[in-house]
Amino acid sequence: MKVAGWIFVVFAILNFIVFIAAMAMGEAEAAGSKIGGAIMLGVLGAYLVHRGKQKEQEEKNREKWNKE
């Protein structure tokens, strides 16, 4: 889950770079779609990374509880 999250974060960064380039060229319509995609992918990626870390912590707590 964390790997997919990091992949989405990378795509979000790439979309943001394309957004900046489109704004510099005056392409407002293209820039609008790219910033929307960057935000969506960034939020999804951050959620997946966070959830992956949470699952790892839950697994560690479960193992610790089972040992005791």
Side-chain angles (χ1 to χ4, degrees):
M1 202 179 301
K2 282 176 28 177
V3 174
W6 283 114
I7 290 171
F8 283 134
V9 169
V10 168
F11 281 131
I13 292 169
L14 293 174
N15 264 343
F16 189 73
I17 291 170
V18 172
F19 160 74
I20 292 172
M23 285 299 290
M25 292 182 195
E27 299 289 330
E29 291 179 19
S33 68
K34 292 302 175 185
I35 192 66
I39 291 170
M40 179 191 67
L41 290 172
V43 169
L44 180 61
Y47 172 75
L48 288 175
V49 169
H50 173 71
R51 186 66 186 132
K53 287 182 180 180
Q54 241 181 357
K55 282 190 151 237
E56 284 180 359
Q57 186 63 34
E58 289 171 2
E59 183 65 30
K60 287 179 184 176
N61 290 342
R62 190 175 305 124
E63 288 175 8
K64 184 179 176 183
W65 185 77
N66 286 336
K67 287 181 181 179
E68 293 177 355

